[in-house]
Amino acid sequence: MPELIIKNGKFYRNGIEEGPEIGSVEQINCLKETNRKNEEAKKSIGVDTDYECTTTGTAEFRCVCGEKVYYEVEFEGTPDDDDCFVGKAKTCRVCGRRYEFEFDADYKLIAKMTK
Ligand SMILES: [Zn+2]
């Protein structure tokens, strides 16, 4: 059976809308999974990047605890975007939360909480 998804608050399967069914385990699970993904997205924090010179890139963002987290990466050559940060991780020195840099859907660098 094709997967059930939620779009604009409605259930769809194969592009066809399905009315809500009271007690439907599949719909409840679908709703839970959608909420979980939304919660996860809220943990992604915008990042400001800067390139001091041609070999060092810096990124900073504010941890959810309020601490400013600063990250510096060395790279070879000249980056034309924030690629050099992607996949790198940084732990907040105050609260110990761990973040990983990645691009969001708009190709904007974000720090995603992993712990
Ligand atoms: Zn923190």
Side-chain angles (χ1 to χ4, degrees):
M1 205 182 245
E3 199 191 354
L4 190 67
I5 58 159
I6 295 182
K7 248 196 278 180
N8 301 322
K10 289 174 178 168
F11 292 106
Y12 287 89
R13 193 193 309 276
N14 244 355
I16 299 159
E17 189 183 336
E18 279 192 17
E21 271 175 59
I22 292 167
S24 162
V25 175
E26 193 187 9
Q27 288 190 351
I28 291 166
N29 286 341
C30 182
L31 205 58
K32 275 188 192 159
E33 178 66 9
T34 302
N35 286 341
R36 192 186 64 76
K37 280 181 185 160
N38 288 344
E39 282 305 311
E40 224 171 59
K42 279 187 211 152
K43 288 183 191 167
S44 298
I45 299 165
V47 174
D48 293 322
T49 55
D50 191 21
Y51 299 96
E52 299 284 336
C53 61
T54 54
T55 57
T56 309
T58 62
E60 63 178 57
F61 60 92
R62 199 168 285 278
C63 177
V64 291
C65 76
E67 176 71 8
K68 215 169 208 185
V69 180
Y70 183 82
Y71 186 78
E72 196 174 282
V73 64
E74 284 187 23
F75 51 84
E76 287 175 27
T78 311
D80 47 11
D81 52 35
D82 297 330
D83 270 344
C84 58
F85 295 105
V86 172
K88 303 287 197 310
K90 179 76 186 179
T91 302
C92 173
R93 65 190 167 95
V94 172
C95 68
R97 285 185 178 89
R98 186 175 178 275
Y99 294 90
E100 252 173 45
F101 293 105
E102 62 178 52
F103 288 125
D104 68 6
D106 299 321
Y107 209 61
K108 195 181 171 332
L109 191 72
I110 55 162
K112 187 165 191 176
M113 196 191 297
T114 56
K115 256 185 219 166

